[in-house]
Amino acid sequence: MRVEILGCSGGIGGTSRRTTSLLLDDDILIDAGTGVTDLPLPALKTVDHVFITHSHLDHITCLPFIVDSVGEMRNTPLTMHATKETLEVIHRHIFNDDIWPDFTVIPSPENPYLCFNTLEVGRSVVIKHRSITALPANHTVPAVGYQIDNLDTGATMVFSGDTTTCPPLWDIINNIPDLRYLLVENTYPNSQREMAIHTKHFYSSLLLAEMKRLRVNPEILITNAKPVWFNQIEKELVQGAGARKLRMLLAETILDL
Ligand SMILES: [Zn+2]
Protein backbone atom coordinates (compact mmCIF):
# COMPACT_ATOMS: atom_id res chain seq x y z
CA MET A 1 0.00 0.00 0.00
CA ARG A 2 1.20 3.44 -0.89
CA VAL A 3 0.44 6.23 1.57
CA GLU A 4 1.04 9.73 0.23
CA ILE A 5 1.01 12.59 2.70
CA LEU A 6 -0.84 15.35 0.86
CA GLY A 7 -0.84 17.55 3.94
CA CYS A 8 -0.09 17.20 7.65
CA SER A 9 0.37 20.75 8.92
CA GLY A 10 -1.66 22.48 11.60
CA GLY A 11 -2.03 25.48 9.28
CA ILE A 12 -1.29 26.96 5.89
CA GLY A 13 1.43 29.25 4.53
CA GLY A 14 3.32 28.11 1.45
CA THR A 15 3.68 24.90 -0.49
CA SER A 16 5.14 22.86 2.38
CA ARG A 17 2.24 23.73 4.68
CA ARG A 18 -1.03 22.08 3.82
CA THR A 19 -3.62 20.81 6.25
CA THR A 20 -4.31 17.15 6.83
CA SER A 21 -5.01 14.67 4.09
CA LEU A 22 -3.50 11.25 3.41
CA LEU A 23 -3.99 9.39 0.13
CA LEU A 24 -4.03 5.58 0.38
CA ASP A 25 -3.17 4.06 -3.01
CA ASP A 26 -5.28 6.06 -5.45
CA ASP A 27 -8.80 5.65 -4.10
CA ILE A 28 -8.98 6.41 -0.37
CA LEU A 29 -8.47 9.69 1.45
CA ILE A 30 -8.03 10.05 5.18
CA ASP A 31 -9.30 13.59 5.89
CA ALA A 32 -9.65 16.21 3.19
CA GLY A 33 -7.68 19.27 4.25
CA THR A 34 -5.93 21.72 1.94
CA GLY A 35 -3.38 19.08 0.87
CA VAL A 36 -6.05 17.83 -1.53
CA THR A 37 -5.91 21.00 -3.65
CA ASP A 38 -2.72 19.79 -5.37
CA LEU A 39 -4.32 16.61 -6.73
CA PRO A 40 -5.04 16.90 -10.46
CA LEU A 41 -8.57 16.23 -11.63
CA PRO A 42 -7.96 12.64 -12.87
CA ALA A 43 -6.52 11.74 -9.46
CA LEU A 44 -9.44 13.37 -7.67
CA LYS A 45 -11.85 11.40 -9.82
CA THR A 46 -10.43 8.04 -8.72
CA VAL A 47 -11.04 8.76 -5.03
CA ASP A 48 -13.99 6.59 -4.00
CA HIS A 49 -13.78 6.92 -0.22
CA VAL A 50 -13.03 9.72 2.25
CA PHE A 51 -12.61 8.81 5.92
CA ILE A 52 -13.00 11.87 8.14
CA THR A 53 -11.50 12.02 11.64
CA HIS A 54 -13.61 14.94 12.87
CA SER A 55 -15.51 17.97 11.70
CA HIS A 56 -12.91 20.71 12.21
CA LEU A 57 -12.38 22.81 9.11
CA ASP A 58 -8.69 22.04 8.58
CA HIS A 59 -9.62 18.36 8.12
CA ILE A 60 -12.58 18.84 5.75
CA THR A 61 -11.72 22.01 3.77
CA CYS A 62 -11.60 20.33 0.38
CA LEU A 63 -14.44 17.84 0.82
CA PRO A 64 -17.11 20.15 -0.67
CA PHE A 65 -14.85 20.97 -3.63
CA ILE A 66 -13.98 17.33 -4.37
CA VAL A 67 -17.64 16.39 -4.56
CA ASP A 68 -18.48 19.33 -6.80
CA SER A 69 -15.42 19.03 -9.05
CA VAL A 70 -15.68 15.34 -9.93
CA GLY A 71 -19.37 14.53 -9.39
CA GLU A 72 -20.23 14.75 -13.07
CA MET A 73 -17.19 12.64 -14.01
CA ARG A 74 -18.14 9.71 -11.78
CA ASN A 75 -20.73 6.95 -12.08
CA THR A 76 -20.99 6.23 -8.36
CA PRO A 77 -21.23 8.51 -5.33
CA LEU A 78 -18.16 9.43 -3.32
CA THR A 79 -18.55 7.71 0.06
CA MET A 80 -17.77 9.74 3.13
CA HIS A 81 -17.08 7.60 6.20
CA ALA A 82 -17.30 9.11 9.68
CA THR A 83 -19.01 8.61 13.00
CA LYS A 84 -22.69 9.49 13.32
CA GLU A 85 -21.90 12.70 15.21
CA THR A 86 -19.40 13.91 12.62
CA LEU A 87 -21.63 13.04 9.65
CA GLU A 88 -24.50 14.97 11.20
CA VAL A 89 -22.40 18.08 11.83
CA ILE A 90 -20.96 18.14 8.31
CA HIS A 91 -24.38 17.54 6.74
CA ARG A 92 -26.01 20.23 8.88
CA HIS A 93 -23.32 22.89 8.58
CA ILE A 94 -21.70 22.32 5.16
CA PHE A 95 -23.98 20.37 2.81
CA ASN A 96 -27.04 22.34 3.88
CA ASP A 97 -27.92 24.28 0.71
CA ASP A 98 -26.64 27.48 2.39
CA ILE A 99 -22.88 26.99 2.62
CA TRP A 100 -22.82 24.33 -0.14
CA PRO A 101 -25.40 22.28 -2.04
CA ASP A 102 -26.73 19.13 -0.38
CA PHE A 103 -24.98 16.69 -2.70
CA THR A 104 -26.48 13.72 -0.84
CA VAL A 105 -29.64 14.36 -2.91
CA ILE A 106 -28.11 16.09 -5.98
CA PRO A 107 -28.41 15.51 -8.88
CA SER A 108 -31.00 12.98 -7.65
CA PRO A 109 -31.68 11.19 -4.36
CA GLU A 110 -31.34 7.87 -6.22
CA ASN A 111 -27.89 8.66 -7.63
CA PRO A 112 -26.29 11.51 -5.68
CA TYR A 113 -22.68 12.72 -5.83
CA LEU A 114 -22.10 12.00 -2.12
CA CYS A 115 -23.24 9.29 0.27
CA PHE A 116 -22.53 8.69 3.95
CA ASN A 117 -21.36 5.57 5.77
CA THR A 118 -21.59 5.59 9.56
CA LEU A 119 -18.52 4.33 11.41
CA GLU A 120 -18.29 3.01 14.94
CA VAL A 121 -15.11 2.99 16.97
CA GLY A 122 -13.53 -0.45 16.84
CA ARG A 123 -15.40 -1.58 13.71
CA SER A 124 -13.41 -2.07 10.49
CA VAL A 125 -14.24 -1.20 6.89
CA VAL A 126 -12.46 -3.46 4.39
CA ILE A 127 -11.82 -2.08 0.90
CA LYS A 128 -9.96 -4.57 -1.29
CA HIS A 129 -6.75 -5.44 0.64
CA ARG A 130 -7.04 -2.53 3.07
CA SER A 131 -8.77 -2.47 6.44
CA ILE A 132 -9.60 0.84 8.10
CA THR A 133 -10.70 0.92 11.72
CA ALA A 134 -11.86 3.94 13.72
CA LEU A 135 -9.90 4.39 16.95
CA PRO A 136 -10.74 6.43 20.06
CA ALA A 137 -9.54 10.03 20.33
CA ASN A 138 -10.06 12.84 22.83
CA HIS A 139 -10.66 16.23 21.24
CA THR A 140 -13.01 19.24 21.63
CA VAL A 141 -15.51 17.70 19.18
CA PRO A 142 -16.32 14.02 18.55
CA ALA A 143 -13.20 12.64 16.90
CA VAL A 144 -11.53 9.38 15.93
CA GLY A 145 -8.14 8.23 14.73
CA TYR A 146 -7.66 5.45 12.22
CA GLN A 147 -5.84 2.13 12.14
CA ILE A 148 -4.91 1.20 8.59
CA ASP A 149 -3.95 -2.41 7.87
CA ASN A 150 -2.54 -3.87 4.70
CA LEU A 151 -4.26 -7.26 4.75
CA ASP A 152 -1.76 -8.67 2.23
CA THR A 153 1.42 -7.84 4.16
CA GLY A 154 0.13 -7.57 7.74
CA ALA A 155 1.73 -4.13 8.11
CA THR A 156 -0.18 -1.50 10.05
CA MET A 157 -0.11 2.23 10.60
CA VAL A 158 -2.05 4.30 13.09
CA PHE A 159 -3.05 7.93 12.60
CA SER A 160 -4.19 9.67 15.78
CA GLY A 161 -6.08 12.53 14.12
CA ASP A 162 -6.50 15.44 16.51
CA THR A 163 -6.37 14.33 20.12
CA THR A 164 -4.96 14.98 23.53
CA THR A 165 -4.14 12.31 26.09
CA CYS A 166 -6.25 9.21 25.41
CA PRO A 167 -5.45 6.01 27.38
CA PRO A 168 -7.73 3.69 25.34
CA LEU A 169 -5.83 4.64 22.18
CA TRP A 170 -2.52 3.49 23.64
CA ASP A 171 -4.06 0.22 24.85
CA ILE A 172 -5.05 -0.55 21.26
CA ILE A 173 -1.71 0.54 19.81
CA ASN A 174 0.16 -1.71 22.25
CA ASN A 175 -1.74 -4.72 20.92
CA ILE A 176 -0.76 -4.20 17.28
CA PRO A 177 2.09 -6.63 16.57
CA ASP A 178 3.39 -5.15 13.31
CA LEU A 179 2.90 -1.42 13.81
CA ARG A 180 5.17 0.18 11.25
CA TYR A 181 4.18 3.84 11.59
CA LEU A 182 2.51 5.87 14.30
CA LEU A 183 1.36 9.23 12.98
CA VAL A 184 0.53 11.26 16.05
CA GLU A 185 -0.34 14.88 16.39
CA ASN A 186 1.64 17.42 18.38
CA THR A 187 0.14 20.80 17.68
CA TYR A 188 1.94 23.01 20.18
CA PRO A 189 5.31 23.42 21.91
CA ASN A 190 5.61 23.50 25.70
CA SER A 191 5.35 27.31 25.74
CA GLN A 192 1.76 27.02 24.45
CA ARG A 193 0.61 24.54 27.09
CA GLU A 194 -2.50 26.52 28.07
CA MET A 195 -3.64 26.80 24.45
CA ALA A 196 -3.05 23.08 23.93
CA ILE A 197 -5.11 22.18 26.99
CA HIS A 198 -7.90 24.54 25.95
CA THR A 199 -8.08 23.12 22.43
CA LYS A 200 -7.43 19.48 23.46
CA HIS A 201 -4.26 18.97 21.48
CA PHE A 202 -0.89 17.50 22.45
CA TYR A 203 2.00 19.74 23.41
CA SER A 204 5.53 18.36 23.47
CA SER A 205 5.99 17.30 27.10
CA LEU A 206 2.48 15.84 27.26
CA LEU A 207 3.11 13.72 24.16
CA LEU A 208 6.52 12.61 25.48
CA ALA A 209 4.87 11.55 28.75
CA GLU A 210 2.13 9.74 26.82
CA MET A 211 4.73 7.94 24.69
CA LYS A 212 6.00 6.26 27.83
CA ARG A 213 2.85 4.10 27.58
CA LEU A 214 4.14 2.67 24.27
CA ARG A 215 5.31 -0.94 24.42
CA VAL A 216 5.79 -1.30 20.67
CA ASN A 217 8.45 0.40 18.59
CA PRO A 218 7.02 1.98 15.43
CA GLU A 219 8.51 4.92 13.59
CA ILE A 220 6.81 7.93 15.16
CA LEU A 221 5.82 10.66 12.70
CA ILE A 222 4.59 13.95 14.11
CA THR A 223 1.65 15.72 12.44
CA ASN A 224 -0.46 18.85 12.85
CA ALA A 225 2.29 21.14 14.19
CA LYS A 226 1.25 24.81 13.95
CA PRO A 227 3.53 26.37 11.29
CA VAL A 228 4.88 29.07 13.58
CA TRP A 229 5.89 26.49 16.20
CA PHE A 230 7.23 23.76 13.88
CA ASN A 231 10.94 24.19 14.69
CA GLN A 232 10.36 24.52 18.41
CA ILE A 233 8.21 21.39 18.51
CA GLU A 234 10.79 19.45 16.51
CA LYS A 235 13.55 20.48 18.92
CA GLU A 236 11.56 19.54 22.01
CA LEU A 237 10.36 16.18 20.70
CA VAL A 238 13.63 15.04 19.13
CA GLN A 239 15.49 15.91 22.35
CA GLY A 240 12.94 14.09 24.47
CA ALA A 241 12.42 11.00 22.31
CA GLY A 242 15.63 9.27 23.39
CA ALA A 243 16.10 5.98 21.53
CA ARG A 244 12.69 6.13 19.84
CA LYS A 245 12.54 6.69 16.08
CA LEU A 246 10.78 10.04 15.76
CA ARG A 247 10.62 12.71 13.08
CA MET A 248 8.37 15.51 11.92
CA LEU A 249 6.16 14.39 9.05
CA LEU A 250 6.17 16.56 5.93
CA ALA A 251 3.83 16.92 2.98
CA GLU A 252 4.83 14.88 -0.09
CA THR A 253 6.28 12.09 2.05
CA ILE A 254 5.44 8.62 0.71
CA LEU A 255 5.08 5.80 3.23
CA ASP A 256 5.22 2.16 2.18
CA LEU A 257 2.80 -0.06 4.05
ZN1 LIG B 1 -9.43 19.47 15.48
Side-chain angles (χ1 to χ4, degrees), residues 15-188:
T15 52
S16 66
R17 298 186 189 91
R18 309 176 178 102
T19 69
T20 303
S21 186
L22 318 179
L23 179 62
L24 311 187
D25 295 325
D26 63 355
D27 58 340
I28 300 173
L29 285 176
I30 306 290
D31 281 340
T34 66
V36 174
T37 50
D38 290 334
L39 279 185
L41 206 51
L44 280 179
K45 182 195 164 200
T46 65
V47 173
D48 292 323
H49 303 272
V50 182
F51 289 76
I52 299 290
T53 56
H54 67 300
S55 57
H56 278 158
L57 194 57
D58 54 330
H59 295 252
I60 65 164
T61 324
C62 285
L63 180 64
F65 301 128
I66 300 171
V67 176
D68 189 38
S69 299
V70 301
E72 286 166 23
M73 301 164 66
R74 294 173 51 83
N75 298 319
T76 55
L78 176 72
T79 303
M80 175 185 151
H81 306 259
T83 61
K84 180 171 177 286
E85 296 83 356
T86 300
L87 289 174
E88 283 177 358
V89 168
I90 293 173
H91 201 178
R92 186 176 347 123
H93 294 291
I94 303 289
F95 296 100
N96 58 7
D97 289 328
D98 288 323
I99 297 292
W100 208 242
D102 182 1
F103 283 115
T104 65
V105 293
I106 295 174
S108 70
E110 296 76 29
N111 191 24
Y113 287 171
L114 177 67
C115 67
F116 293 157
N117 178 48
T118 306
L119 297 179
E120 285 175 34
V121 171
R123 295 264 298 271
S124 303
V125 174
V126 175
I127 301 168
K128 297 178 191 163
H129 59 287
R130 296 132 326 162
S131 169
I132 297 163
T133 311
L135 301 179
N138 177 15
H139 196 36
T140 52
V141 295
V144 297
Y146 287 111
Q147 175 177 334
I148 298 152
D149 295 279
N150 182 335
L151 299 176
D152 288 343
T153 65
T156 299
M157 65 177 261
V158 163
F159 171 49
S160 72
D162 282 7
T163 190
T164 182
T165 180
C166 185
L169 175 64
W170 300 97
D171 292 342
I172 293 166
I173 290 171
N174 282 329
N175 282 297
I176 300 173
D178 188 8
L179 181 61
R180 189 169 297 178
Y181 303 110
L182 172 59
L183 281 61
V184 61
E185 77 122 292
N186 193 95
T187 305
Y188 291 106

